[in-house]
Amino acid sequence: MTYSLNNRSGRRRGRTRIASLAALTLASGLLAACSGSGSGKTELVWYINPDAGGQDAVAKNCSTDQYDVVTQVLPQDAGQQRIQLARRLAAHDSGIDLMSLDPPYTAEFANAGFLAKIPDEAQDALTQQSFKGAIDAATWDGEVVAFPFWSNTQVLWYRKSFVEKAGIDMSQPVTWDQIIDSASENGGQIGVQANKYEGYVVWVNALISGAGGSIVEDAEKGVDATISIDSDAGEAAAHVIEKLAHSSAAPDDLSIAQEGQAGTTFGSAAGSFLVNWTYIFHNYDEGQPEVAADIGYTMYPETVAGQPARPPYGGIGIGVSKYSDHVDQALEAAACVVSPDNQGVNAELTGNMPASPGGYEYPALQKIYPADLLKLFQDSVDAAAPRSVTPYWSDISSSIQSTWHPAASVTDGTPGESASFIEDVLQQRRIL
Amino acid sequence: VTTTIATPEVKKQAVSDRSSAENSLGRKLVAPAVIVMLIVTAWPMLRALYLSLFRYRLTTPDDREFAGLGNYLTILSDSLFWKDTLNTVVIMVVTVGVELVIGFGFAMVMHRIIFARGVMRTSILIPYGIITVVSAFAWQFTFSINNGWVNGWFDWLPGISDGLPVGGEAATNWFGGHWTAMFAIMVSEIWKTTPFMSLLLLAGLSQVSDDMIEAAQVDGATWWQRLWKVIIPNMRAAIMVAVLFRALDAFRIFDNIFVMTKGAQNTESSSFLTYRQVIEQFQLGMGSALSVLLFLTVLLLAFGIVKIFGVDLAQARGES
């Protein structure tokens, strides 16, 4: 009896010990979670796209005595970034204060009412400071809804040795026809983005804009926007894609090629031309220094000879969540994040170029990039054609991917086919 | 004679009194669970049914409008829906068929084996303990054009090549074509769920009485005749449960496709289409309509399978 009593109390003691241990663990967890606000300092959470540390450095620069800016990393894929942010914002999650937004989704978020209004004077300052393309991409319904942070553009990269062998004059603007012919005649392959993803639509959009056309007009009408892809410009774009896909200049992995695969093609023995973002310039420095020394660059190719090219526009704008508990402080922090100096800091660390001429003045950039390349980037951003600013961009983009992929299936009829498909999808007559 | 007839009647009455009391207690005990189930299951289902009647997108909540059965009409007249349904049916029929055969073989092994019984049973069940996403990644690496071993090991088969030496035949890109990608998806599905099938069949096998098999043997039935005339008919209920569970599971296939192809090469299933509408495109109305259709299809399937096998589920539980 005594034995069993002892035993029971022993067991009970054990249980109490476990319980108190559990309570301790829980308490310490709670304490850790509170430590940010425990010091009386606000914590602003900035959801960033993965990068090489540029946004972390900027977050540190923009932390003040009143608040700390801390970063949380979103998924790699821009589509997944959009899904995660939108689902949380739709549920009025106050855990997001600032977010890095891809331009094609900015209008969607603004239209859904997820973004806090930027004060008028701040909007004016941003308009003063930024490239026009960057402001256009961040404007919805007459308001600047995101702080342009960095602006990306594509230029035509070429291998100097290849161009010399092929004997093309790269000092003059070149056309897609020229580079496809030159590559196929000289055993070269052209790096483009043609997987079934957003990057392919970036290419299609640049080709159409380069021929003076557009995918959508009157985008502010939402689902009733005019789909203008079925035009001479659309046909000119289809012609370029069809020609490349059926030429020997098409890489074997064309149908699954994203930026990385295209970069690999460019670095291979068959590398000749590549359309890609600004970061490519330092891409080969460590792995293939011989390629790095062989890189030349010029303006994006023309779709139609004599008509100036409209290169792709990319980048990141900073949005402030309407559901943040600290909207005013978050707006202040966002203004700090996009200051020209911080744009420069970010560009130095990541290769993602500033969204303002002021950002290009950052001293370190002048050291890392040749002056003529920095000028090319700025000219290219100025000439760039942003993807249509519409809340339905993701539907339009997916519809184009469905009808224009794979590149080898593109014909003269593709623009017409995609126009009616996009209309059906927007009017919910077809599912995507 | 009267007494002999009366006695059982009295007894039966007593039994039903007791059983009705038990039933009433049972109902009370189950009630809390039923209420929780209603909250977490019935409510979302009714909500989905309601949402499916609207054009409603998460990012344009103000444009929400009543569409009646419009979403259903759009879906049922869309070729994409039927293409994806066909994919799903192909995956279900092939995987369940293959699993039934292999699973039955495994069940026989687990049932008959004399030595190392525990080890054998455990090793057959291991794949079922592995998370589907992990299984999908493992098989994706297996079939990968860059570092998978399938191309290397089965290089000698016509149509499969590891791409070596460079410049010769191109390496087989399993995820580059519709049927090859479907094959890889189905292999992963079969590998992962066959043990579940064999576990259910093993339960059925052990219900078949040895006396019947011995009697058949004495009557001179061959092994094949014993299998087809005695064993399989007597485990019909177990086979039905196994096929039913697996068919319904297979019809809702998602993880393998999500990991291995993300729906590329036209390998999308009905669940995947629903996922894309709701999660990627925020089309709550259209997505809900799709999930209602998916639910109805699953119900229909369950009903069909029960009818085909003609087995009473209560009988399968040994209640009647």
Side-chain angles (χ1 to χ4, degrees):
Chain A
M1 197 63 185
T2 2
Y3 170 72
S4 80
L5 252 181
N6 272 347
N7 190 27
R8 203 180 297 157
S9 68
R11 223 183 288 154
R12 198 177 299 150
R13 219 179 297 139
R15 228 178 273 158
T16 327
R17 206 174 298 148
I18 290 169
S20 48
L21 252 178
L24 248 179
T25 323
L26 197 69
S28 61
L30 286 174
L31 277 176
C34 290
S35 60
S37 49
S39 58
K41 218 169 164 187
T42 310
E43 204 167 70
L44 297 177
V45 185
W46 175 16
Y47 277 77
I48 60 169
N49 54 308
D51 72 358
Q55 294 174 100
D56 273 336
V58 171
K60 218 165 276 163
N61 288 348
C62 287
S63 296
T64 66
D65 293 340
Q66 276 80 46
Y67 53 80
D68 280 323
V69 181
V70 295
T71 55
Q72 286 284 344
V73 183
L74 289 165
Q76 181 73 45
D77 172 24
Q80 294 292 328
Q81 294 170 13
R82 163 181 168 267
I83 291 171
Q84 190 178 122
L85 287 173
R87 295 188 71 83
R88 292 181 60 174
L89 291 168
H92 299 195
D93 185 341
S94 62
I96 301 172
D97 297 303
L98 300 126
M99 59 200 128
S100 293
L101 285 176
D102 224 11
Y105 309 128
T106 307
E108 186 179 28
F109 280 37
N111 189 54
F114 294 161
L115 301 179
K117 184 188 155 52
I118 302 176
D120 291 336
E121 54 279 19
Q123 288 190 34
D124 292 343
L126 288 172
T127 313
Q128 289 279 313
Q129 164 185 307
S130 315
F131 290 115
K132 187 177 176 303
I135 281 293
D136 286 349
T139 303
W140 172 246
D141 211 9
E143 301 254 343
V144 178
V145 293
F147 296 73
F149 178 40
W150 54 266
S151 279
N152 214 341
T153 184
Q154 292 197 354
V155 299
L156 176 64
W157 307 97
Y158 57 86
R159 298 281 290 269
K160 290 180 201 155
S161 54
F162 183 87
V163 166
E164 213 166 280
K165 192 176 73 182
I168 330 176
D169 175 17
M170 297 303 288
S171 66
Q172 299 300 315
V174 290
T175 63
W176 278 100
D177 271 337
Q178 274 177 302
I179 64 167
I180 295 170
D181 289 340
S182 147
S184 33
E185 281 159 20
N186 296 284
Q189 289 180 341
I190 300 177
V192 292
Q193 292 81 44
N195 191 10
K196 195 175 178 182
Y197 81 126
E198 180 70 23
Y200 184 41
V201 185
V202 167
W203 186 32
V204 173
N205 186 56
L207 289 173
I208 295 176
S209 309
S214 62
I215 293 176
V216 192
E217 270 164 22
D218 309 328
E220 66 284 351
K221 287 189 191 155
V223 293
D224 299 318
T226 313
I227 308 302
S228 46
I229 193 172
D230 185 16
S231 60
D232 291 347
E235 223 164 273
H239 167 75
V240 169
I241 295 175
E242 186 184 358
K243 177 169 179 174
L244 174 61
H246 295 286
S247 79
S248 62
D252 296 339
D253 61 358
L254 182 70
S255 71
I256 56 163
Q258 304 196 4
E259 282 85 351
Q261 284 89 342
T264 309
T265 302
F266 186 66
S268 74
S272 59
F273 299 99
L274 166 75
V275 285
N276 213 331
W277 305 101
T278 54
Y279 78 91
I280 275 295
F281 185 68
H282 286 297
N283 193 44
Y284 304 97
D285 288 359
E286 280 169 21
Q288 293 170 284
E290 73 287 355
V291 176
D294 197 27
I295 295 185
Y297 38 82
T298 186
M299 196 65 162
Y300 199 79
E302 293 175 351
T303 314
V304 179
Q307 194 164 339
R310 302 290 311 274
Y313 176 83
I316 285 290
I318 307 299
V320 171
S321 165
K322 196 169 89 181
Y323 309 109
S324 157
D325 291 332
H326 317 283
V327 171
D328 290 339
Q329 286 174 323
L331 285 167
E332 189 186 312
C336 163
V337 165
V338 303
S339 72
D341 270 359
N342 278 327
Q343 290 184 8
V345 169
N346 181 62
E348 181 191 357
L349 290 169
T350 61
N352 296 321
M353 290 295 141
S356 61
Y360 273 90
E361 306 290 315
Y362 190 70
L365 287 185
Q366 318 283 340
K367 278 184 212 135
I368 309 174
Y369 295 93
D372 60 338
L373 182 58
L374 287 179
K375 182 172 180 315
L376 174 64
F377 285 160
Q378 295 182 64
D379 291 347
S380 184
V381 170
D382 258 346
R387 283 155 275 175
S388 308
V389 181
T390 153
Y392 295 95
W393 176 257
S394 76
D395 284 20
I396 293 169
S397 168
S398 302
S399 306
I400 292 176
Q401 292 168 37
S402 290
T403 39
W404 289 63
H405 189 268
S409 71
V410 171
T411 63
D412 285 352
T414 306
E417 215 177 288
S418 62
S420 55
F421 187 59
I422 295 171
E423 271 166 22
D424 283 350
V425 164
L426 288 181
Q427 297 298 332
Q428 301 223 336
R429 290 190 295 259
R430 296 283 300 271
I431 44 177
L432 255 181
Chain B
V1 175
T2 19
T3 30
T4 38
I5 291 170
T7 329
E9 259 177 13
V10 170
K11 253 187 198 163
K12 200 179 172 192
Q13 191 62 41
V15 168
S16 18
D17 272 353
R18 192 174 148 206
S19 86
S20 81
E22 270 181 2
N23 277 344
S24 139
L25 176 67
R27 272 194 290 274
K28 280 178 201 149
L29 290 175
V30 174
V34 170
I35 291 168
V36 171
M37 282 291 282
L38 283 179
I39 294 171
V40 300
T41 314
W43 162 243
M45 276 163 69
L46 290 173
R47 173 105 180 129
L49 195 64
Y50 172 74
L51 282 176
S52 73
L53 303 176
F54 288 87
R55 281 192 181 180
Y56 179 27
R57 181 193 273 264
L58 205 55
T59 47
T60 50
D62 299 337
D63 297 345
R64 172 166 141 164
E65 59 179 64
F66 185 74
L69 296 177
N71 288 335
Y72 292 94
L73 285 177
T74 308
I75 293 167
L76 292 174
S77 59
D78 200 293
S79 59
L80 183 65
F81 172 75
W82 292 107
K83 235 183 337 192
D84 289 358
T85 307
L86 180 71
N87 281 341
T88 316
V89 170
V90 167
I91 291 175
M92 181 187 75
V93 170
V94 173
T95 56
V96 174
V98 173
E99 283 169 21
L100 189 62
V101 174
I102 304 179
F104 195 79
F106 280 160
M108 294 286 258
V109 169
M110 290 197 280
H111 187 58
R112 298 266 165 220
I113 197 159
I114 302 161
F115 63 93
R117 202 171 174 144
V119 175
M120 199 55 125
R121 286 187 172 186
T122 311
S123 50
I124 286 177
L125 292 179
I126 283 176
Y128 192 60
I130 288 171
I131 299 157
T132 315
V133 170
V134 175
S135 154
F137 271 114
W139 284 100
Q140 190 194 31
F141 286 130
T142 302
F143 283 102
S144 157
I145 186 170
N146 300 318
N147 45 20
W149 50 258
V150 169
N151 280 351
W153 284 20
F154 297 98
D155 196 27
W156 50 274
L157 278 173
I160 299 180
S161 163
D162 59 0
L164 296 173
V166 176
E169 200 183 346
T172 310
N173 186 0
W174 288 90
F175 298 110
H178 172 67
W179 287 111
T180 47
M182 289 281 272
F183 179 79
I185 289 166
M186 289 192 275
V187 166
S188 171
E189 182 78 1
I190 290 168
W191 179 80
K192 148 90 186 141
T193 46
T194 300
F196 176 70
M197 189 72 122
S198 53
L199 204 62
L200 292 180
L201 293 176
L202 176 65
L205 265 183
S206 52
Q207 274 177 7
V208 178
S209 127
D210 282 342
D211 299 348
M212 279 194 285
I213 299 172
E214 266 170 39
Q217 204 164 5
V218 169
D219 285 345
T222 62
W223 181 85
W224 191 248
Q225 285 168 325
R226 271 178 277 149
L227 179 69
W228 281 99
K229 306 276 181 192
V230 181
I231 298 177
I232 289 182
N234 276 293
M235 54 185 291
R236 202 169 59 172
I239 293 177
M240 193 213 65
V241 170
V243 169
L244 181 69
F245 279 22
R246 272 305 306 143
L248 299 191
D249 250 7
F251 197 82
R252 293 179 291 121
I253 182 170
F254 176 81
D255 331 33
N256 274 312
I257 296 173
F258 184 80
V259 170
M260 294 170 97
T261 63
K262 284 234 157 53
Q265 318 303 347
N266 181 25
T267 53
E268 229 173 49
S269 67
S270 302
S271 301
F272 198 87
L273 180 66
T274 311
Y275 159 83
R276 282 203 306 107
Q277 300 301 314
V278 182
I279 309 286
E280 278 186 9
Q281 298 172 17
F282 310 138
Q283 301 267 21
L284 298 189
M286 193 69 86
S288 300
L290 271 168
S291 33
V292 169
L293 286 175
L294 187 63
F295 177 68
L296 291 179
T297 322
V298 168
L299 267 189
L300 200 73
L301 258 177
F303 184 74
I305 292 173
V306 170
K307 279 285 160 212
I308 289 172
F309 284 83
V311 173
D312 180 8
L313 271 179
Q315 197 191 344
R317 287 209 312 252
E319 277 181 5
S320 63

